[in-house]
Amino acid sequence: MTGADANAKPLKAEARRAALRKLLIAAAERRISEDGLGALRARDLAADAGCALGAIYGAFPDLDALILEVNLRTLALFEAALGPDGGGFDVTNAADELVRLGQAYLAFAQSHGKRWRALFQHQFADGRRPPDGYVAEQARLFRRIEAPLQALRPDLSAQERVLLARSLFSATHGIVMLGLDARLMALPPAVVGPQLDLLIRAMATGLASRA
Amino acid sequence: MTGADANAKPLKAEARRAALRKLLIAAAERRISEDGLGALRARDLAADAGCALGAIYGAFPDLDALILEVNLRTLALFEAALGPDGGGFDVTNAADELVRLGQAYLAFAQSHGKRWRALFQHQFADGRRPPDGYVAEQARLFRRIEAPLQALRPDLSAQERVLLARSLFSATHGIVMLGLDARLMALPPAVVGPQLDLLIRAMATGLASRA
DNA sequence: CACGATCATGAACAGCGTTCAAGTGCGTTT
DNA sequence: AAACGCACTTGAACGCTGTTCATGATCGTG
Protein backbone atom coordinates (compact mmCIF):
# COMPACT_ATOMS: atom_id res chain seq x y z
CA MET A 1 0.00 0.00 0.00
CA THR A 2 1.37 3.38 -1.01
CA GLY A 3 -0.65 6.06 0.68
CA ALA A 4 -0.98 6.59 4.39
CA ASP A 5 -4.62 5.54 4.18
CA ALA A 6 -4.96 1.82 4.61
CA ASN A 7 -8.35 1.91 2.90
CA ALA A 8 -7.01 3.56 -0.22
CA LYS A 9 -5.91 0.31 -1.79
CA PRO A 10 -9.12 -1.51 -2.62
CA LEU A 11 -11.12 1.48 -3.77
CA LYS A 12 -12.01 0.45 -7.29
CA ALA A 13 -12.11 -3.17 -6.30
CA GLU A 14 -14.63 -2.51 -3.57
CA ALA A 15 -16.75 -0.47 -5.94
CA ARG A 16 -16.90 -3.37 -8.35
CA ARG A 17 -17.76 -5.78 -5.58
CA ALA A 18 -20.57 -3.48 -4.54
CA ALA A 19 -21.86 -3.35 -8.11
CA LEU A 20 -21.72 -7.12 -8.34
CA ARG A 21 -23.54 -7.37 -5.03
CA LYS A 22 -26.38 -5.30 -6.43
CA LEU A 23 -26.54 -7.44 -9.55
CA LEU A 24 -26.58 -10.62 -7.51
CA ILE A 25 -29.24 -9.34 -5.14
CA ALA A 26 -31.42 -8.32 -8.07
CA ALA A 27 -30.94 -11.73 -9.68
CA ALA A 28 -31.70 -13.54 -6.44
CA GLU A 29 -34.80 -11.41 -5.90
CA ARG A 30 -36.08 -12.32 -9.33
CA ARG A 31 -35.32 -16.02 -8.93
CA ILE A 32 -36.92 -16.18 -5.49
CA SER A 33 -39.96 -14.19 -6.56
CA GLU A 34 -40.56 -16.32 -9.63
CA ASP A 35 -39.53 -19.82 -8.62
CA GLY A 36 -39.20 -19.73 -4.85
CA LEU A 37 -36.26 -20.01 -2.49
CA GLY A 38 -35.90 -23.72 -3.13
CA ALA A 39 -35.10 -23.12 -6.78
CA LEU A 40 -32.21 -20.75 -6.09
CA ARG A 41 -28.95 -22.07 -7.64
CA ALA A 42 -25.55 -20.48 -7.42
CA ARG A 43 -24.84 -21.25 -11.09
CA ASP A 44 -28.06 -19.58 -12.22
CA LEU A 45 -27.24 -16.49 -10.22
CA ALA A 46 -23.78 -16.30 -11.76
CA ALA A 47 -25.30 -16.61 -15.22
CA ASP A 48 -27.94 -13.96 -14.46
CA ALA A 49 -25.38 -11.52 -13.08
CA GLY A 50 -22.92 -12.27 -15.87
CA CYS A 51 -20.13 -13.21 -13.50
CA ALA A 52 -18.11 -16.30 -12.78
CA LEU A 53 -19.38 -18.86 -10.31
CA GLY A 54 -16.62 -18.15 -7.83
CA ALA A 55 -17.19 -14.40 -8.03
CA ILE A 56 -20.29 -14.84 -5.89
CA TYR A 57 -18.05 -15.75 -2.98
CA GLY A 58 -16.06 -12.58 -3.43
CA ALA A 59 -19.24 -10.56 -3.00
CA PHE A 60 -20.87 -12.64 -0.26
CA PRO A 61 -19.44 -15.16 2.22
CA ASP A 62 -22.05 -17.68 1.10
CA LEU A 63 -25.52 -17.92 -0.42
CA ASP A 64 -27.11 -17.57 3.01
CA ALA A 65 -25.80 -14.02 3.25
CA LEU A 66 -27.25 -13.24 -0.15
CA ILE A 67 -30.62 -14.69 0.82
CA LEU A 68 -30.52 -12.68 4.01
CA GLU A 69 -30.03 -9.52 1.98
CA VAL A 70 -33.06 -10.35 -0.15
CA ASN A 71 -35.10 -11.09 2.96
CA LEU A 72 -34.07 -7.80 4.48
CA ARG A 73 -35.34 -6.02 1.40
CA THR A 74 -38.57 -7.99 1.62
CA LEU A 75 -39.06 -6.76 5.17
CA ALA A 76 -38.38 -3.18 4.06
CA LEU A 77 -40.83 -3.63 1.20
CA PHE A 78 -43.48 -4.72 3.66
CA GLU A 79 -42.83 -1.81 5.96
CA ALA A 80 -43.26 0.50 2.97
CA ALA A 81 -46.52 -1.26 2.13
CA LEU A 82 -47.78 -0.46 5.61
CA GLY A 83 -47.50 3.23 4.89
CA PRO A 84 -46.43 5.86 7.38
CA ASP A 85 -47.06 5.21 11.04
CA GLY A 86 -50.29 6.99 11.77
CA GLY A 87 -49.96 7.01 15.52
CA GLY A 88 -52.58 8.31 17.92
CA PHE A 89 -55.10 5.58 18.52
CA ASP A 90 -57.82 5.41 21.12
CA VAL A 91 -60.07 2.65 22.33
CA THR A 92 -62.57 3.32 19.54
CA ASN A 93 -60.27 2.66 16.59
CA ALA A 94 -57.57 0.45 18.13
CA ALA A 95 -59.24 -2.77 17.03
CA ASP A 96 -59.69 -1.38 13.53
CA GLU A 97 -56.01 -0.60 13.34
CA LEU A 98 -55.07 -4.12 14.44
CA VAL A 99 -57.35 -5.51 11.77
CA ARG A 100 -55.88 -3.15 9.21
CA LEU A 101 -52.35 -4.29 10.06
CA GLY A 102 -53.36 -7.92 9.85
CA GLN A 103 -55.05 -7.47 6.51
CA ALA A 104 -52.02 -5.60 5.22
CA TYR A 105 -49.86 -8.54 6.29
CA LEU A 106 -52.17 -10.96 4.51
CA ALA A 107 -52.28 -8.81 1.37
CA PHE A 108 -48.50 -8.61 1.27
CA ALA A 109 -48.11 -12.34 1.78
CA GLN A 110 -50.60 -13.01 -0.98
CA SER A 111 -49.11 -10.64 -3.54
CA HIS A 112 -45.50 -11.58 -2.79
CA GLY A 113 -46.10 -15.28 -2.05
CA LYS A 114 -42.77 -16.88 -2.90
CA ARG A 115 -40.76 -14.01 -1.60
CA TRP A 116 -42.68 -13.77 1.65
CA ARG A 117 -42.37 -17.50 2.20
CA ALA A 118 -38.61 -17.24 1.81
CA LEU A 119 -38.58 -15.13 4.97
CA PHE A 120 -39.55 -18.15 7.04
CA GLN A 121 -38.36 -20.97 4.84
CA HIS A 122 -34.79 -19.85 5.24
CA GLN A 123 -33.00 -21.33 8.23
CA PHE A 124 -30.03 -19.73 9.90
CA ALA A 125 -27.21 -22.24 9.92
CA ASP A 126 -26.18 -23.51 13.34
CA GLY A 127 -26.48 -20.79 15.91
CA ARG A 128 -25.81 -17.91 13.54
CA ARG A 129 -27.45 -14.77 14.81
CA PRO A 130 -29.62 -12.75 12.45
CA PRO A 131 -27.88 -9.53 11.36
CA ASP A 132 -28.60 -6.24 13.09
CA GLY A 133 -30.85 -4.93 10.34
CA TYR A 134 -33.08 -7.93 10.76
CA VAL A 135 -33.70 -7.36 14.44
CA ALA A 136 -34.11 -3.61 13.97
CA GLU A 137 -36.64 -4.12 11.18
CA GLN A 138 -38.58 -6.56 13.35
CA ALA A 139 -38.67 -4.09 16.20
CA ARG A 140 -40.02 -1.35 13.92
CA LEU A 141 -42.80 -3.63 12.71
CA PHE A 142 -43.76 -4.78 16.19
CA ARG A 143 -44.02 -1.19 17.33
CA ARG A 144 -46.79 -0.80 14.79
CA ILE A 145 -48.76 -3.32 16.79
CA GLU A 146 -47.83 -1.93 20.17
CA ALA A 147 -49.35 1.47 19.41
CA PRO A 148 -52.98 0.37 19.06
CA LEU A 149 -52.41 -2.15 21.85
CA GLN A 150 -51.58 0.65 24.20
CA ALA A 151 -54.87 2.33 23.36
CA LEU A 152 -56.71 -0.94 23.88
CA ARG A 153 -55.06 -1.85 27.14
CA PRO A 154 -53.46 1.19 28.83
CA ASP A 155 -53.06 -0.86 32.00
CA LEU A 156 -50.36 -3.10 30.59
CA SER A 157 -46.72 -2.47 31.37
CA ALA A 158 -44.37 -1.75 28.50
CA GLN A 159 -42.89 -5.21 28.72
CA GLU A 160 -46.29 -6.89 28.80
CA ARG A 161 -47.26 -4.85 25.77
CA VAL A 162 -44.14 -5.91 23.87
CA LEU A 163 -44.83 -9.55 24.56
CA LEU A 164 -48.48 -9.28 23.65
CA ALA A 165 -47.64 -7.50 20.40
CA ARG A 166 -45.36 -10.35 19.43
CA SER A 167 -48.00 -12.90 20.33
CA LEU A 168 -50.62 -11.06 18.31
CA PHE A 169 -48.29 -11.02 15.35
CA SER A 170 -47.60 -14.72 15.80
CA ALA A 171 -51.28 -15.56 15.80
CA THR A 172 -51.84 -13.46 12.69
CA HIS A 173 -48.82 -14.98 11.05
CA GLY A 174 -50.14 -18.47 11.77
CA ILE A 175 -53.45 -17.76 10.10
CA VAL A 176 -51.78 -16.18 7.08
CA MET A 177 -49.12 -18.87 6.75
CA LEU A 178 -51.34 -21.93 7.06
CA GLY A 179 -54.00 -20.19 5.05
CA LEU A 180 -51.65 -19.76 2.09
CA ASP A 181 -49.88 -23.07 2.53
CA ALA A 182 -51.49 -26.09 0.90
CA ARG A 183 -49.38 -28.45 3.00
CA LEU A 184 -51.52 -28.66 6.09
CA MET A 185 -54.97 -27.17 6.36
CA ALA A 186 -55.91 -25.67 3.05
CA LEU A 187 -58.28 -22.92 3.94
CA PRO A 188 -59.98 -21.66 0.80
CA PRO A 189 -58.13 -18.48 -0.18
CA ALA A 190 -61.29 -16.44 -0.28
CA VAL A 191 -62.10 -17.06 3.38
CA VAL A 192 -58.67 -16.32 4.85
CA GLY A 193 -59.32 -12.58 4.89
CA PRO A 194 -62.70 -12.75 6.63
CA GLN A 195 -61.41 -15.34 9.12
CA LEU A 196 -58.43 -13.13 9.93
CA ASP A 197 -60.75 -10.18 10.42
CA LEU A 198 -63.02 -12.24 12.67
CA LEU A 199 -60.25 -13.55 14.90
CA ILE A 200 -58.30 -10.33 15.25
CA ARG A 201 -61.51 -8.55 16.19
CA ALA A 202 -62.31 -11.33 18.66
CA MET A 203 -58.88 -11.01 20.23
CA ALA A 204 -59.26 -7.24 20.48
CA THR A 205 -62.67 -7.62 22.06
CA GLY A 206 -61.48 -10.29 24.45
CA LEU A 207 -58.40 -8.31 25.42
CA ALA A 208 -60.39 -5.13 25.96
CA SER A 209 -62.73 -6.95 28.32
CA ARG A 210 -59.78 -7.59 30.69
CA ALA A 211 -60.37 -11.32 30.37
CA MET B 1 -46.27 -68.49 -10.44
CA THR B 2 -47.48 -71.94 -9.48
CA GLY B 3 -50.54 -71.49 -7.32
CA ALA B 4 -53.78 -69.97 -8.41
CA ASP B 5 -53.15 -67.00 -6.09
CA ALA B 6 -51.37 -64.25 -7.92
CA ASN B 7 -50.14 -62.80 -4.63
CA ALA B 8 -48.42 -65.99 -3.56
CA LYS B 9 -45.15 -65.18 -5.28
CA PRO B 10 -43.77 -62.20 -3.36
CA LEU B 11 -44.86 -63.32 0.07
CA LYS B 12 -41.50 -63.60 1.79
CA ALA B 13 -40.09 -60.75 -0.20
CA GLU B 14 -42.89 -58.43 0.83
CA ALA B 15 -42.48 -59.50 4.43
CA ARG B 16 -38.82 -58.55 4.37
CA ARG B 17 -39.59 -55.25 2.75
CA ALA B 18 -42.10 -54.57 5.50
CA ALA B 19 -39.52 -55.43 8.14
CA LEU B 20 -37.00 -53.14 6.48
CA ARG B 21 -39.62 -50.40 6.31
CA LYS B 22 -40.08 -50.63 10.06
CA LEU B 23 -36.33 -50.52 10.63
CA LEU B 24 -35.96 -47.50 8.37
CA ILE B 25 -38.88 -45.67 9.96
CA ALA B 26 -37.41 -46.27 13.40
CA ALA B 27 -34.01 -45.05 12.23
CA ALA B 28 -35.51 -41.97 10.61
CA GLU B 29 -37.53 -41.22 13.72
CA ARG B 30 -34.40 -41.34 15.84
CA ARG B 31 -32.37 -39.21 13.44
CA ILE B 32 -35.11 -36.61 13.10
CA SER B 33 -35.77 -36.51 16.85
CA GLU B 34 -32.11 -36.11 17.72
CA ASP B 35 -30.66 -34.01 14.91
CA GLY B 36 -33.64 -32.61 13.04
CA LEU B 37 -35.05 -33.19 9.60
CA GLY B 38 -32.23 -31.27 7.94
CA ALA B 39 -29.66 -33.78 9.19
CA LEU B 40 -31.39 -36.78 7.68
CA ARG B 41 -29.05 -38.61 5.22
CA ALA B 42 -29.91 -41.64 3.15
CA ARG B 43 -26.49 -43.16 3.87
CA ASP B 44 -26.91 -42.77 7.63
CA LEU B 45 -30.31 -44.43 7.47
CA ALA B 46 -28.89 -47.37 5.52
CA ALA B 47 -26.13 -47.75 8.10
CA ASP B 48 -28.60 -47.52 11.00
CA ALA B 49 -30.94 -50.08 9.48
CA GLY B 50 -28.06 -52.32 8.44
CA CYS B 51 -29.06 -52.38 4.81
CA ALA B 52 -27.55 -51.26 1.56
CA LEU B 53 -28.03 -47.73 0.33
CA GLY B 54 -30.15 -48.80 -2.60
CA ALA B 55 -32.35 -51.02 -0.43
CA ILE B 56 -34.06 -47.89 0.85
CA TYR B 57 -35.56 -47.39 -2.56
CA GLY B 58 -36.97 -50.89 -2.55
CA ALA B 59 -38.84 -50.08 0.66
CA PHE B 60 -39.87 -46.51 -0.19
CA PRO B 61 -40.13 -44.65 -3.49
CA ASP B 62 -37.94 -41.89 -2.08
CA LEU B 63 -36.93 -40.25 1.18
CA ASP B 64 -39.98 -38.02 1.08
CA ALA B 65 -42.24 -41.03 1.51
CA LEU B 66 -40.18 -42.14 4.51
CA ILE B 67 -40.36 -38.70 6.06
CA LEU B 68 -44.11 -38.67 5.46
CA GLU B 69 -44.40 -41.92 7.37
CA VAL B 70 -42.51 -40.45 10.32
CA ASN B 71 -44.69 -37.35 10.22
CA LEU B 72 -47.81 -39.47 10.20
CA ARG B 73 -46.58 -41.21 13.35
CA THR B 74 -45.86 -37.84 14.90
CA LEU B 75 -49.45 -36.79 14.27
CA ALA B 76 -50.71 -40.02 15.82
CA LEU B 77 -48.42 -39.47 18.78
CA PHE B 78 -49.91 -36.05 19.28
CA GLU B 79 -53.44 -37.35 19.04
CA ALA B 80 -52.57 -39.91 21.71
CA ALA B 81 -51.10 -37.13 23.86
CA LEU B 82 -54.45 -35.33 23.67
CA GLY B 83 -56.14 -38.27 25.40
CA PRO B 84 -59.61 -39.55 24.61
CA ASP B 85 -62.13 -37.12 23.21
CA GLY B 86 -64.10 -35.96 26.20
CA GLY B 87 -67.01 -34.52 24.29
CA GLY B 88 -69.91 -32.72 25.86
CA PHE B 89 -68.94 -29.13 26.39
CA ASP B 90 -71.14 -26.22 27.29
CA VAL B 91 -70.63 -22.48 27.32
CA THR B 92 -69.07 -22.58 30.80
CA ASN B 93 -66.14 -24.87 29.98
CA ALA B 94 -65.74 -24.41 26.24
CA ALA B 95 -63.05 -21.76 26.61
CA ASP B 96 -61.20 -23.93 29.12
CA GLU B 97 -61.20 -26.79 26.66
CA LEU B 98 -59.82 -24.59 23.90
CA VAL B 99 -57.08 -23.44 26.25
CA ARG B 100 -56.37 -27.02 27.26
CA LEU B 101 -56.02 -28.07 23.61
CA GLY B 102 -53.73 -25.17 22.90
CA GLN B 103 -51.53 -25.89 25.88
CA ALA B 104 -51.38 -29.55 24.90
CA TYR B 105 -50.22 -28.47 21.45
CA LEU B 106 -47.56 -26.27 22.99
CA ALA B 107 -46.42 -28.98 25.37
CA PHE B 108 -46.12 -31.47 22.56
CA ALA B 109 -44.19 -29.06 20.38
CA GLN B 110 -41.84 -28.29 23.25
CA SER B 111 -41.15 -31.89 24.25
CA HIS B 112 -40.82 -33.15 20.67
CA GLY B 113 -39.20 -30.05 19.18
CA LYS B 114 -37.25 -31.40 16.23
CA ARG B 115 -39.85 -33.96 15.36
CA TRP B 116 -42.71 -31.52 15.54
CA ARG B 117 -40.82 -29.01 13.42
CA ALA B 118 -40.33 -31.68 10.76
CA LEU B 119 -44.09 -31.68 10.28
CA PHE B 120 -43.95 -28.19 8.80
CA GLN B 121 -40.38 -28.06 7.59
CA HIS B 122 -41.04 -30.82 5.10
CA GLN B 123 -42.31 -29.64 1.72
CA PHE B 124 -44.31 -31.79 -0.64
CA ALA B 125 -42.51 -31.90 -3.95
CA ASP B 126 -44.28 -30.21 -6.84
CA GLY B 127 -48.01 -30.66 -6.56
CA ARG B 128 -47.88 -33.99 -4.75
CA ARG B 129 -50.97 -34.44 -2.62
CA PRO B 130 -50.56 -35.45 1.02
CA PRO B 131 -51.54 -39.12 1.56
CA ASP B 132 -54.97 -40.06 2.81
CA GLY B 133 -53.84 -40.76 6.35
CA TYR B 134 -52.53 -37.23 6.59
CA VAL B 135 -55.82 -35.60 5.73
CA ALA B 136 -57.79 -38.00 7.93
CA GLU B 137 -55.53 -37.34 10.90
CA GLN B 138 -55.91 -33.61 10.39
CA ALA B 139 -59.68 -33.93 10.29
CA ARG B 140 -59.70 -35.88 13.57
CA LEU B 141 -57.61 -33.21 15.26
CA PHE B 142 -59.71 -30.35 13.96
CA ARG B 143 -62.85 -32.03 15.25
CA ARG B 144 -61.35 -31.69 18.72
CA ILE B 145 -61.53 -27.95 18.26
CA GLU B 146 -64.95 -27.95 16.67
CA ALA B 147 -66.60 -29.59 19.69
CA PRO B 148 -65.97 -26.78 22.20
CA LEU B 149 -66.54 -24.26 19.41
CA GLN B 150 -70.06 -25.57 18.95
CA ALA B 151 -70.74 -25.03 22.62
CA LEU B 152 -69.29 -21.54 22.41
CA ARG B 153 -71.12 -20.52 19.25
CA PRO B 154 -74.17 -22.74 18.61
CA ASP B 155 -75.38 -20.26 16.03
CA LEU B 156 -72.63 -21.07 13.53
CA SER B 157 -73.29 -23.37 10.62
CA ALA B 158 -71.26 -26.56 10.36
CA GLN B 159 -69.16 -25.09 7.59
CA GLU B 160 -68.53 -21.87 9.47
CA ARG B 161 -67.49 -23.93 12.47
CA VAL B 162 -65.05 -25.99 10.40
CA LEU B 163 -63.41 -22.87 9.02
CA LEU B 164 -63.24 -21.21 12.40
CA ALA B 165 -61.69 -24.31 13.96
CA ARG B 166 -58.95 -24.26 11.36
CA SER B 167 -58.36 -20.59 11.91
CA LEU B 168 -58.16 -21.07 15.65
CA PHE B 169 -55.65 -23.83 15.15
CA SER B 170 -53.65 -21.65 12.79
CA ALA B 171 -53.49 -18.83 15.30
CA THR B 172 -52.40 -21.22 18.03
CA HIS B 173 -49.89 -22.80 15.71
CA GLY B 174 -48.43 -19.41 14.90
CA ILE B 175 -47.87 -18.57 18.53
CA VAL B 176 -46.32 -21.95 19.25
CA MET B 177 -44.16 -21.97 16.14
CA LEU B 178 -42.74 -18.49 16.37
CA GLY B 179 -42.46 -18.86 20.12
CA LEU B 180 -40.20 -21.88 19.76
CA ASP B 181 -38.34 -20.62 16.74
CA ALA B 182 -35.38 -18.39 17.35
CA ARG B 183 -35.39 -17.20 13.73
CA LEU B 184 -37.87 -14.41 13.95
CA MET B 185 -39.32 -13.13 17.18
CA ALA B 186 -37.75 -15.00 20.02
CA LEU B 187 -40.35 -14.93 22.73
CA PRO B 188 -38.81 -16.09 26.02
CA PRO B 189 -39.83 -19.75 26.39
CA ALA B 190 -41.30 -19.17 29.82
CA VAL B 191 -43.85 -16.66 28.56
CA VAL B 192 -45.15 -18.60 25.56
CA GLY B 193 -47.51 -20.65 27.72
CA PRO B 194 -49.10 -17.67 29.49
CA GLN B 195 -49.34 -15.70 26.26
CA LEU B 196 -51.04 -18.61 24.56
CA ASP B 197 -53.47 -18.88 27.45
CA LEU B 198 -54.17 -15.18 27.32
CA LEU B 199 -54.86 -15.02 23.61
CA ILE B 200 -56.92 -18.18 23.35
CA ARG B 201 -59.05 -16.95 26.21
CA ALA B 202 -59.36 -13.56 24.54
CA MET B 203 -60.45 -15.19 21.30
CA ALA B 204 -63.00 -17.31 23.15
CA THR B 205 -64.35 -14.27 24.95
CA GLY B 206 -64.46 -12.22 21.80
CA LEU B 207 -66.15 -14.98 19.84
CA ALA B 208 -68.72 -15.61 22.56
CA SER B 209 -69.65 -11.92 22.55
CA ARG B 210 -70.83 -12.32 18.90
CA ALA B 211 -68.36 -9.61 17.91
C1' DC C 1 7.48 0.37 -18.96
C1' DA C 2 7.84 -3.34 -15.82
C1' DC C 3 6.82 -5.20 -11.66
C1' DG C 4 3.87 -7.18 -7.90
C1' DA C 5 -0.07 -7.69 -5.32
C1' DT C 6 -4.75 -8.59 -6.15
C1' DC C 7 -8.67 -10.30 -8.04
C1' DA C 8 -11.58 -13.13 -11.31
C1' DT C 9 -12.03 -17.58 -13.30
C1' DG C 10 -14.12 -22.18 -13.88
C1' DA C 11 -12.39 -26.77 -13.21
C1' DA C 12 -12.23 -29.59 -9.27
C1' DC C 13 -14.00 -31.18 -4.64
C1' DA C 14 -17.01 -33.04 -1.15
C1' DG C 15 -21.53 -34.45 -0.27
C1' DC C 16 -26.25 -35.12 -1.47
C1' DG C 17 -30.42 -38.22 -3.27
C1' DT C 18 -31.19 -41.48 -6.64
C1' DT C 19 -30.23 -45.09 -10.17
C1' DC C 20 -28.65 -49.36 -12.33
C1' DA C 21 -25.56 -53.06 -14.12
C1' DA C 22 -23.98 -56.90 -11.86
C1' DG C 23 -24.00 -60.56 -8.51
C1' DT C 24 -26.50 -63.20 -5.18
C1' DG C 25 -30.05 -65.99 -3.18
C1' DC C 26 -34.47 -67.81 -3.00
C1' DG C 27 -38.55 -70.20 -4.93
C1' DT C 28 -39.94 -73.25 -8.31
C1' DT C 29 -39.62 -76.98 -11.40
C1' DT C 30 -38.09 -81.29 -12.96
C1' DA D 1 -32.47 -83.67 -4.48
C1' DA D 2 -30.61 -80.90 -7.87
C1' DA D 3 -30.51 -77.29 -11.04
C1' DC D 4 -32.54 -73.62 -13.16
C1' DG D 5 -34.44 -68.74 -13.61
C1' DC D 6 -36.02 -64.67 -11.97
C1' DA D 7 -36.46 -61.13 -8.53
C1' DC D 8 -34.04 -58.87 -5.29
C1' DT D 9 -30.02 -56.81 -3.02
C1' DT D 10 -25.86 -54.36 -3.61
C1' DG D 11 -22.70 -50.36 -3.71
C1' DA D 12 -20.29 -48.02 -7.33
C1' DA D 13 -21.58 -44.47 -10.35
C1' DC D 14 -24.52 -40.48 -11.94
C1' DG D 15 -26.12 -35.87 -11.84
C1' DC D 16 -26.62 -32.05 -9.12
C1' DT D 17 -25.62 -29.11 -5.25
C1' DG D 18 -22.65 -25.22 -2.67
C1' DT D 19 -18.03 -24.06 -1.99
C1' DT D 20 -12.94 -23.82 -2.80
C1' DC D 21 -8.47 -22.94 -5.01
C1' DA D 22 -4.56 -23.11 -8.34
C1' DT D 23 -4.03 -20.51 -12.32
C1' DG D 24 -4.04 -16.73 -15.27
C1' DA D 25 -5.57 -12.08 -16.21
C1' DT D 26 -5.74 -7.22 -14.37
C1' DC D 27 -4.89 -3.20 -12.42
C1' DG D 28 -2.38 0.18 -9.61
C1' DT D 29 2.14 1.66 -8.70
C1' DG D 30 7.48 2.78 -8.72
Side-chain angles (χ1 to χ4, degrees):
Chain A
M1 51 194 73
T2 57
D5 188 359
N7 301 348
K9 176 178 45 178
L11 254 180
K12 283 294 180 60
E14 182 55 43
R16 284 196 305 185
R17 296 206 323 179
L20 179 57
R21 257 193 288 267
K22 287 188 64 172
L23 277 176
L24 285 171
I25 290 173
E29 275 186 340
R30 195 173 49 240
R31 290 272 176 188
I32 290 177
S33 296
E34 291 177 6
D35 304 327
L37 179 61
L40 198 69
R41 316 283 142 192
R43 285 162 180 81
D44 292 341
L45 288 176
D48 288 356
C51 72
L53 180 57
I56 295 176
Y57 299 89
F60 294 97
D62 50 29
L63 284 194
D64 270 13
L66 175 52
I67 295 169
L68 233 60
E69 208 68 42
V70 173
N71 281 351
L72 203 58
R73 283 163 162 257
T74 302
L75 283 178
L77 206 64
F78 173 59
E79 194 188 8
L82 277 184
D85 192 343
F89 306 104
D90 55 44
V91 70
T92 67
N93 59 3
D96 289 337
E97 171 67 4
L98 288 176
V99 168
R100 191 190 72 83
L101 290 173
Q103 294 292 347
Y105 189 65
L106 173 62
F108 184 83
Q110 281 178 330
S111 60
H112 302 82
K114 302 256 173 58
R115 216 176 142 165
W116 172 76
R117 202 163 306 184
L119 280 176
F120 303 94
Q121 202 171 337
H122 179 246
Q123 307 271 15
F124 296 121
D126 285 335
R128 292 252 291 271
R129 287 281 124 227
D132 302 344
Y134 237 73
V135 182
E137 192 67 41
Q138 281 181 44
R140 262 199 299 277
L141 292 174
F142 285 136
R143 232 165 290 147
R144 293 292 193 101
I145 306 178
E146 291 172 34
L149 255 190
Q150 184 158 24
L152 202 65
R153 287 288 298 265
D155 58 308
L156 293 182
S157 74
Q159 187 184 345
E160 285 173 317
R161 194 167 51 245
V162 166
L163 293 179
L164 189 53
R166 295 189 168 221
S167 300
L168 271 176
F169 167 76
S170 299
T172 299
H173 170 76
I175 297 173
V176 171
M177 162 129 280
L178 270 65
L180 298 192
D181 205 330
R183 179 172 33 195
L184 211 60
M185 301 272 312
L187 268 180
V191 308
V192 177
Q195 288 288 311
L196 188 59
D197 187 299
L198 177 66
L199 278 189
I200 291 182
R201 224 168 272 282
M203 286 191 281
T205 303
L207 286 173
S209 75
R210 307 294 193 272
Chain B
M1 50 192 75
T2 59
D5 189 358
N7 302 345
K9 177 178 46 180
L11 253 181
K12 284 294 181 57
E14 182 54 44
R16 285 196 304 189
R17 296 207 321 181
L20 179 57
R21 257 192 287 265
K22 286 189 66 172
L23 277 176
L24 284 171
I25 290 173
E29 275 185 341
R30 197 173 48 243
R31 289 273 175 188
I32 290 178
S33 295
E34 291 176 6
D35 304 326
L37 179 61
L40 198 68
R41 316 285 139 185
R43 284 161 180 80
D44 292 341
L45 288 176
D48 289 356
C51 72
L53 179 58
I56 295 176
Y57 299 89
F60 295 97
D62 50 30
L63 284 195
D64 271 12
L66 176 51
I67 294 170
L68 232 60
E69 208 67 43
V70 173
N71 281 351
L72 203 58
R73 284 162 161 258
T74 303
L75 283 178
L77 205 66
F78 172 60
E79 193 187 8
L82 278 184
D85 192 344
F89 306 105
D90 55 42
V91 70
T92 68
N93 60 4
D96 288 338
E97 172 67 5
L98 288 176
V99 168
R100 191 190 73 82
L101 290 173
Q103 294 292 345
Y105 189 65
L106 173 61
F108 185 83
Q110 280 177 328
S111 59
H112 301 84
K114 303 253 173 59
R115 214 174 142 167
W116 173 76
R117 202 162 307 184
L119 280 176
F120 304 93
Q121 201 171 339
H122 178 247
Q123 307 270 17
F124 296 120
D126 284 334
R128 291 254 291 273
R129 288 280 121 226
D132 302 344
Y134 236 73
V135 182
E137 192 67 41
Q138 281 182 44
R140 263 200 297 278
L141 292 175
F142 285 136
R143 233 165 289 148
R144 293 293 194 100
I145 306 178
E146 292 173 32
L149 255 189
Q150 183 159 25
L152 201 66
R153 288 289 298 266
D155 58 308
L156 292 183
S157 73
Q159 187 184 345
E160 285 173 319
R161 193 166 52 246
V162 166
L163 293 179
L164 189 53
R166 297 190 166 219
S167 300
L168 270 177
F169 167 75
S170 299
T172 300
H173 170 75
I175 297 173
V176 170
M177 163 130 278
L178 270 64
L180 299 191
D181 205 331
R183 179 171 33 194
L184 210 62
M185 302 273 312
L187 269 179
V191 308
V192 178
Q195 288 288 313
L196 188 59
D197 187 299
L198 177 66
L199 277 190
I200 292 181
R201 225 169 272 282
M203 285 190 281
T205 303
L207 286 173
S209 75
R210 307 292 192 276

